[in-house]
Amino acid sequence: MEAIRPVPRTLLRDRAYEAIRDAIVAGDIAPGAVVRDAELAERLGLSRAPVRDAFSRLVDEGLLESKPQSYTRVTPVVAADVRDAAAVVGAMHELVTRAALPRLRADHIGAMREANTCFATAVREGDVSAALRADDELHDVLVRVSGNRAAAATVARYTPLIRRLERRRFGEGGNCRSAGLHDELIDACAVGDVDEAVRVTAEIWRGLEDLADLDS
């Protein structure tokens, strides 16, 4: 029994945050929907405290809005907010790409190619969740290798705002980001061409700013 220890409170808080965030991004909790800590705590099998902590974090990140003693609800998808988030996330990805390239190994390039194969397959099959998951895996290689924690935290904070619009647009028949652009990025990384890798990265994320403009 000595090996069984209480689960740290921080893990429960993170579990609640990730579950609620993912449900909002996926549209399982729709924009404008009122959320209640007691109800979500019961569904997650948690106490209300970690759910309240998660609510506070999600309000700070723009996925929830709250009026004290009145309501907490999911924010609408606002094109201007998505455009701003895409600009910030794009800048962070350019930064980490520049920092990561000198440190990339063959296995990193292999992981990026594998992720892009999964991405292309998911796009072809219309599996939006798998496509976005593979997209994250591809770009996360550069984020991790860069070692820039501030950039990683910024990407993690603002990417969910972008994903909500991406999911909605794809559900309406919109186009997913090009696997071809990913190929260009990977090829530039493989030969150590920093300027080209940064250029392609900028093009990828500029496309998301344009996606927000289409939704204006």
Side-chain angles (χ1 to χ4, degrees), residues 1 37 60 88 141 152 157 164 170:
M1 295 296 290
D37 55 6
D60 187 50
V88 170
V141 172
R157 173 171 179 166
R164 283 208 296 170
F170 300 158

Side-chain angles (χ1 to χ4, degrees), residues 105-118 134 137-139 141 144 186:
R105 302 189 307 263
D107 59 312
H108 296 135
I109 300 298
M112 294 173 72
R113 292 199 189 280
E114 182 178 352
N116 198 34
T117 297
C118 293
E137 290 172 0
L138 190 157
H139 291 285
V141 172
R144 290 195 308 272
I186 296 166

Side-chain angles (χ1 to χ4, degrees), residues 97-141:
T97 296
R98 192 175 296 278
L101 249 71
R103 307 177 184 179
L104 287 175
R105 302 189 307 263
D107 59 312
H108 296 135
I109 300 298
M112 294 173 72
R113 292 199 189 280
E114 182 178 352
N116 198 34
T117 297
C118 293
F119 174 84
T121 300
V123 170
R124 189 165 55 250
E125 295 176 351
D127 189 338
V128 177
S129 294
L132 295 181
R133 186 164 56 250
D135 187 70
D136 282 338
E137 290 172 0
L138 190 157
H139 291 285
D140 281 351
V141 172

